[in-house]
Amino acid sequence: MPRDDRHPSRRAFLDVTGGALAAGLITGCSSDSPQPDRPVPSTAATPKPVPAAGRHQAGVTLPRSAQRNLLALVADLGPEVAPGPLLAELGEAIRTLTAGSDPRLLGLSPGDLTVTVGVGPRLVRTAGAALPGATDLPRFSRERIASRARGGDLLLQICADDAPVVPVAAAALLAQAGDRVRERWRQSGRRGTDVSVAKGLTAPRNLLGFIDGIVGPHTTAEQERDLWLAGPPEVAGGTLAVLRRMELDLTRFAALSVAEQEAVFGRRRASGVPLSGGTPASAPELGAKTPDGRYLVPVDAHVRRANPTAVGVGHMLRRSYSTDEPAPGLLFISFQNDLRTFTATLTRMDTSDALLPFTTTTAGASFLILPGFDRQHPLGSTLFG
């Protein structure tokens, strides 16, 4: 049975956590290991906790540098399930999990755990057909998406630097939801080591070896303009998310020379600098040419085809997570306050982007990321209160 057509079992969860425990037991069996009653203090820096409450949900711009590990879990609500009470319960569970006071963490420290909740177009339409997020994501070329891997009612984006925290938090949230939700698909991913691209700005390398996520709304002013929804009041403080899981043809891409790979992206592989020059954070000079009249940034380079100014849209906050199961690839997530920012960009890329032939999209969905919440204003209460 295809992966997207079955639900993760309790055994699958126990296999994961049991494997982690077994690994810990194996590494603790050397003759130099400490005695069980003499624990060794950890020398690793403990990630700073990220508050769950606030104007915006955590996990989008907080923490500033995204955590290493992510699980995107997409589910449907039962036909008779009221979204409001379910979301309020999930919000309270998120608060206790991130605070470290939930026994379902099994003694793990939550560290920088964040859980970001979104609702799909079907649920948004029940609150208002004209609201942002009510429109389904259109279909694009180079897609091979099974019906269960397209769309969904509920998104749980769970992130943490400490890998075991992620599936444990997911199990707690699914237990909280119970039989009110039915899982559609899930995808785990990891981010590479961050590379400094400008003062106060870092980005990781993707599975193709290039620095990913350099361009985006990084300042507060840019985020207010292009990222956060200003209204209507039901969604103010939220944003729109697009998820796309893609398989990558690593073998064919690796067969290219470094110069050919750089022409696909329009950037230097080692540094991230645009082929037109400057620094990694410099905007590519799309009109710059060689003395013989060739564009320094090729006409089909990814940075040209996806350039916000050329497309005529705002910036999207982009995150890419490397995956190796069900196939080597990446999970692409973008956040923006207008779905057209994504759809117009991908439509332009569809016509001639040198990167797309190396990709096949196998899952896709869009969600309204709900506004922030606190104890007085439960998660989802502005939309489903």
Side-chain angles (χ1 to χ4, degrees), residues 38-319:
R38 298 178 60 193
V40 176
S42 173
T43 58
T46 302
K48 184 178 180 181
V50 182
R55 180 186 172 211
H56 311 298
Q57 287 193 68
V60 181
T61 57
L62 290 177
R64 180 174 176 84
S65 181
Q67 304 97 313
R68 292 186 183 93
N69 303 288
L70 167 141
L71 171 62
L73 194 155
V74 178
D76 285 339
L77 272 61
E80 305 302 322
V81 175
L86 171 62
L87 292 169
E89 284 184 35
L90 289 175
E92 179 60 18
I94 290 166
R95 190 187 65 78
T96 60
L97 286 166
T98 56
S101 59
D102 195 317
R104 292 173 294 190
L105 277 173
L106 306 177
L108 295 174
S109 169
D112 56 2
L113 170 68
T114 60
V115 181
T116 313
V117 180
V119 291
R122 186 186 73 84
L123 291 187
V124 176
R125 287 193 291 267
T126 66
L131 288 171
T135 304
D136 290 301
L137 192 66
R139 303 191 179 207
F140 297 95
S141 67
R142 298 183 178 87
E143 292 184 342
R144 192 179 68 239
I145 302 178
S147 58
R148 288 194 54 75
R150 189 184 296 278
D153 288 339
L154 181 70
L155 167 69
L156 299 176
Q157 176 194 273
I158 306 168
C159 302
D161 263 351
D162 189 13
V165 171
V166 175
V168 170
L173 292 167
L174 287 175
Q176 186 70 50
D179 59 7
R180 290 174 291 180
V181 303
R182 179 172 182 264
E183 187 171 331
R184 289 179 70 90
W185 61 278
R186 63 167 64 194
Q187 182 62 54
S188 296
R190 298 173 303 279
R191 283 168 64 87
T193 303
D194 281 337
V195 177
S196 177
V197 295
K199 185 177 180 180
L201 178 62
T202 61
R205 292 191 183 276
N206 60 28
L207 210 57
L208 297 175
F210 282 76
I211 301 174
D212 202 348
I214 296 174
V215 179
H218 300 302
T219 69
T220 300
E222 291 169 343
Q223 290 166 2
E224 292 298 326
R225 183 191 68 207
D226 293 333
L227 175 62
W228 302 117
L229 289 162
E234 300 96 316
V235 300
T239 185
L240 302 176
V242 173
L243 281 72
R244 302 260 290 176
R245 183 180 66 198
M246 289 176 269
E247 295 180 2
L248 297 178
D249 192 339
L250 295 178
T251 302
R252 193 158 60 89
F253 188 82
L256 301 177
S257 68
V258 173
E260 290 171 326
Q261 293 175 9
E262 292 176 339
V264 168
F265 275 91
R267 292 184 180 274
R268 299 296 178 195
R269 191 177 70 180
S271 64
V273 170
L275 296 185
S276 54
T279 69
S282 298
E285 295 183 25
L286 301 183
K289 295 183 178 181
T290 63
D292 62 354
R294 291 180 294 107
Y295 283 113
L296 291 174
V297 178
V299 294
D300 60 351
H302 179 61
V303 299
R304 179 185 291 274
R305 301 305 301 174
N307 184 272
T309 302
V311 179
V313 295
H315 286 79
M316 62 180 84
L317 181 64
R318 297 178 294 116
R319 299 263 169 76

Side-chain angles (χ1 to χ4, degrees), residues 330-380:
L330 61 84
L331 179 67
F332 169 89
I333 304 176
S334 69
F335 300 98
Q336 54 274 302
N337 58 15
D338 187 343
L339 189 61
R340 184 179 174 274
T341 300
F342 174 82
T343 57
T345 300
L346 192 53
T347 297
R348 188 170 190 270
M349 290 167 57
D350 254 350
T351 59
S352 72
D353 186 307
L355 179 59
L356 287 190
F358 296 94
T359 71
T360 302
T361 299
T362 59
S366 62
F367 298 92
L368 166 66
I369 301 299
L370 295 166
F373 64 99
D374 54 34
R375 287 188 174 184
Q376 289 71 43
H377 306 90
L379 177 68

